[in-house]
Amino acid sequence: MSGGKLNNRRKMSQALSRVANASVVETLKNQKELPKETLYRIGITGAPGSGKSTIISNLVSKRVDNGSRAAVLAIDPSSPLTKGSILGDRIRMDSVSNDPNVFIRSIPSRRSHDGLADNTADLLWEMEGYEFDEVILETVGVGQAEYSVRALVDTVILVLLPESGDAVQAMKSGILEMADIYVINKSDLPGAELIAAEINEIVSRNTYSSNEWKPCVLSTSNHSVESFNALDEAIDEHREWIKKSIDKEHERRSRVRYQVQSLINRRAEELLELMSLKEFDGRPKEVYEKLIKKLLIK
Ligand SMILES: Nc1nc2c(ncn2[C@@H]2O[C@H](COP(=O)(O)OP(=O)(O)OP(=O)(O)O)[C@@H](O)[C@H]2O)c(=O)[nH]1
Ligand SMILES: [Mg+2]
């Protein structure tokens, strides 16, 4: 491994640990300038065990073979007792983790319930400037509330399983409308063609104008390395479409808005944790006003 690349990985790793452990005040104090061109971000979401980490592992090795340098940020479900990460993803992605052009980091989901960690936006921001080309974000599979990932990444991939009901569930939760690419994973199992047909049917019900992205539906299986070629190509196609079609300024503002919202939520959590139970005496209105005053004081 070349010294420069190793150094860069180490620097990014240290910086991410610093951000992961920082309070809101520290995060704000140490935040760096964003470069003009930010990293391309791919988000992979889907139910627990649907194969997100396995897909990332296959995808990363393909993309790195094609000359890309990829950084993976995987949100691990936190144990409610330890608030720690179970690091399962790290193990599943071991086959690519020693490549100098790959960086993998698992972070605990902590207090958050939306499939991301409450400091995901800060961590993604920190990942800029270490000479990687793209970031792949794996969310915790939480079923209903995976919309948040949409706010933070360029390309959303939703992983579905060939079990009956997955398509219907996804449609009910509205999640089908927010993905750019649908992947039916474990297509070696029975039922894959059926769900692919169902999703295709749902997608084709919508009409897309010539400048809109029409989501694609693909099937992958860990038993067929080739099945990931089409996914790799679909990602590149979507990236090209984004370059032509997305208002970068608008997107940047939306991301900053999301991040500010996360920081406010976290700050409120921090202050609530610091307040003693006695301070909750009185009407909620008074406690709320006390908290707002604290929030406004640096
Ligand atoms: N049959 C089959 N099994 C698969 C395939 N891909 C992954 N698996 C298995 O599915 C299980 C879960 O895979 P992961 O990649 O950990 O899934 P995940 O979505 O990252 O899981 P969480 O992060 O825990 O939500 C593992 O036992 C994999 O070996 C596939 O294409 N076919
Ligand atoms: Mg995983």
Side-chain angles (χ1 to χ4, degrees), residues 51-54 74-76 88-89 92-93 138-139:
K52 300 178 292 294
S53 302
T54 315
I75 319 284
D76 262 345
D89 295 316
R92 250 155 248 145
M93 289 187 247
E138 176 181 341
T139 79

Side-chain angles (χ1 to χ4, degrees), residues 46-55 76-77 89 92 138-141 185-189 220-223:
S50 53
K52 300 178 292 294
S53 302
T54 315
I55 291 173
D76 262 345
D89 295 316
R92 250 155 248 145
E138 176 181 341
T139 79
V140 175
N185 192 38
K186 308 197 187 184
S187 60
D188 49 294
L189 301 178
T220 55
S221 162
N222 198 25
H223 302 286

Side-chain angles (χ1 to χ4, degrees), residues 79-199:
S79 141
L81 289 178
T82 61
K83 285 194 185 166
S85 153
I86 54 168
L87 293 177
D89 295 316
R90 182 72 204 246
I91 293 155
R92 250 155 248 145
M93 289 187 247
D94 244 10
S95 59
V96 284
S97 64
N98 286 325
D99 192 305
N101 293 312
V102 179
F103 175 93
I104 298 175
R105 184 64 175 263
S106 284
I107 54 157
S109 59
R110 309 205 300 183
R111 287 182 281 249
S112 192
H113 305 290
D114 64 358
L116 303 175
D118 56 3
N119 54 1
T120 306
D122 310 329
L123 291 162
L124 287 170
W125 187 297
E126 185 56 42
M127 289 169 98
E128 300 289 341
Y130 293 95
E131 293 176 20
F132 283 87
D133 299 308
E134 54 193 25
V135 176
I136 305 180
L137 176 69
E138 176 181 341
T139 79
V140 175
V142 287
Q144 305 269 327
E146 282 139 310
Y147 292 102
S148 303
V149 69
R150 177 78 274 174
L152 289 179
V153 305
D154 300 297
T155 300
V156 175
I157 301 173
L158 175 64
V159 183
L160 299 162
L161 286 178
E163 285 159 7
S164 61
D166 226 9
V168 178
Q169 258 327 99
M171 195 169 64
K172 267 197 206 147
S173 69
I175 201 171
L176 270 186
E177 269 124 62
M178 62 116 217
D180 304 303
I181 300 170
Y182 301 98
V183 170
I184 318 300
N185 192 38
K186 308 197 187 184
S187 60
D188 49 294
L189 301 178
E193 278 169 27
L194 185 67
I195 183 171
E198 276 175 2
I199 304 289

